[in-house]
Amino acid sequence: MNGKWKILLLFILFLVLANSIVITISKCIIKESKTLGTNVSKPVIRLENNNDLELTNDNLYNSKKFNIMNYTNNEINEVSLSYYIEIVYTDIDKSQIEITLKRNDKIVNITENITESFPLKASEKQNDQFVLNVNYKNNSDVTGKIELKLHSYQNPPKEVVS
């Protein structure tokens, strides 16, 4: 009987140890679901006084004022934007034209008919004032127009350091 008791005692000890091993290597998984609210930000950019600039024999020098704003009467830009202006010539020999563009009284760099990029702030009113001066160098027959196209893009968000 001593041998049977020893085997029974070893078997019970084995069950207790096996049970405790299962508990120590078990894993608890909790699933949580969260709902995040999202809103789409509104970009606002407006070009005011954008009429084509016409050149004629009577008008070899022309000047045009226009504004670029990040607000309307009801809304203001909610995202950080940048913009540039493309100058499009229709029926005009570009080599016969001299163009000067000023933004807030500072001369703007123009490369291949495209200006440098300008920032447009978010949540703060901004009004950039432009003056475009066009001088036609030749007195021959002049027909054609100059058109301004406004291009904008959203700036990448700044990194959040946590």
Side-chain angles (χ1 to χ4, degrees):
M1 282 267 190
N2 263 345
K4 285 185 180 182
W5 284 107
K6 284 183 182 180
I7 291 175
L8 185 60
L9 187 58
L10 283 174
F11 181 72
I12 292 174
L13 186 60
F14 173 75
L15 286 178
V16 169
L17 287 174
N19 219 4
S20 66
I21 290 173
V22 170
I23 291 173
T24 58
I25 62 170
S26 65
K27 193 164 83 158
C28 180
I29 298 175
I30 298 173
K31 290 187 177 181
E32 276 186 47
S33 64
K34 293 183 180 180
T35 305
L36 300 175
T38 58
N39 291 326
V40 176
S41 298
K42 282 187 177 180
V44 176
I45 186 167
R46 188 174 74 158
L47 177 60
E48 190 175 77
N49 300 333
N50 185 31
N51 300 322
D52 294 339
L53 190 62
E54 304 238 356
L55 295 175
T56 63
N57 286 338
D58 299 331
N59 196 12
L60 294 176
Y61 178 81
N62 208 334
S63 183
K64 174 183 177 58
K65 293 181 180 180
F66 61 95
N67 298 329
I68 295 180
M69 298 171 276
N70 68 342
Y71 62 92
T72 63
N73 291 339
N74 304 328
E75 299 174 312
I76 189 165
N77 186 31
E78 296 177 348
V79 294
S80 178
L81 298 174
S82 287
Y83 69 92
Y84 63 92
I85 299 169
E86 178 183 5
I87 301 170
V88 179
Y89 303 93
T90 305
D91 299 326
I92 295 177
D93 181 6
K94 291 189 314 186
S95 66
Q96 298 298 318
I97 290 183
E98 186 177 291
I99 287 188
T100 307
L101 181 64
K102 290 184 178 179
R103 174 183 171 251
N104 300 330
D105 296 323
K106 294 180 184 169
I107 293 182
V108 173
N109 293 326
I110 301 172
T111 306
E112 296 181 13
N113 303 333
I114 294 178
T115 67
E116 57 192 286
S117 290
F118 306 106
L120 204 57
K121 298 175 184 170
S123 304
E124 183 180 321
K125 287 186 177 181
Q126 181 178 336
N127 183 358
D128 291 340
Q129 298 173 350
F130 286 86
V131 177
L132 176 68
N133 295 314
V134 179
N135 187 18
Y136 195 73
K137 300 176 192 175
N138 193 346
N139 285 337
S140 63
D141 287 339
V142 179
T143 58
K145 64 181 179 178
I146 296 173
E147 180 183 1
L148 302 175
K149 290 187 178 182
L150 178 63
H151 302 272
S152 65
Y153 54 92
Q154 185 174 350
N155 295 328
K158 295 179 181 175
E159 287 188 31
V160 178
V161 179
S162 54

